[in-house]
Amino acid sequence: MDLLKLLAVVGSVALLIVVVELIRRGKLKERYSLLWLLAGGLLLFLSVSRGILNSLAALFGTFYPPSLLFLLTFVFLLLITLHFSVVLSGLAEKNKQLAQELALLRRELEDVAGGKKGDSTAKGENR
């Protein structure tokens, strides 16, 4: 087994172990774990089966088949980064809306609490 193939297999297995450990500890949601498990499994499969990797490399016109593994990994990471950017943007908008609603509710609570105190101490005061 050449060094690059060994590196790809070790990296794939390490990715799978890390993902499973993150799932076990509850740090990685099931929504994303399947994506990472499939990516690690596909990377491991392509690392081990040299014939399929060579065929895919010929199909894509890649001169050095193991470099196709790194290209696929790079494209996957770009896509996952784009996906997380979209999710993060949505969460930022939801966070802004929640902060605004919280401020309005606090103001309303202060008005209600202040109105009750004002009614009991000074009836002529207008709020």
Side-chain angles (χ1 to χ4, degrees), residues 8-10 12-13 16 38-49 69:
V9 169
V10 169
S12 302
V13 170
L16 289 171
L38 288 174
L42 180 65
L43 199 60
L44 180 63
F45 176 72
L46 289 176
S47 300
V48 172
S49 61
L69 285 175

Side-chain angles (χ1 to χ4, degrees), residues 44-114:
L44 180 63
F45 176 72
L46 289 176
S47 300
V48 172
S49 61
R50 191 68 167 208
I52 294 175
L53 183 62
N54 288 339
S55 299
L56 285 174
L59 180 69
F60 286 108
T62 306
F63 176 72
Y64 187 57
S67 66
L68 181 64
L69 285 175
F70 295 108
L71 175 65
L72 291 174
T73 303
F74 179 71
V75 168
F76 171 75
L77 290 176
L78 279 177
L79 290 174
I80 200 80
T81 302
L82 177 64
H83 173 71
F84 286 147
S85 295
V86 169
V87 169
L88 187 63
S89 296
L91 289 174
E93 184 62 31
K94 285 182 182 178
N95 192 24
K96 180 179 139 185
Q97 288 174 350
L98 287 173
Q100 290 171 347
E101 288 179 25
L102 178 63
L104 290 172
L105 288 172
R106 280 186 180 166
R107 176 61 186 240
E108 186 177 325
L109 183 62
E110 287 172 1
D111 288 347
V112 168

Side-chain angles (χ1 to χ4, degrees), residues 113-124:
K116 286 184 179 178
K117 287 181 185 176
D119 287 342
S120 64
T121 58
K123 290 189 177 189

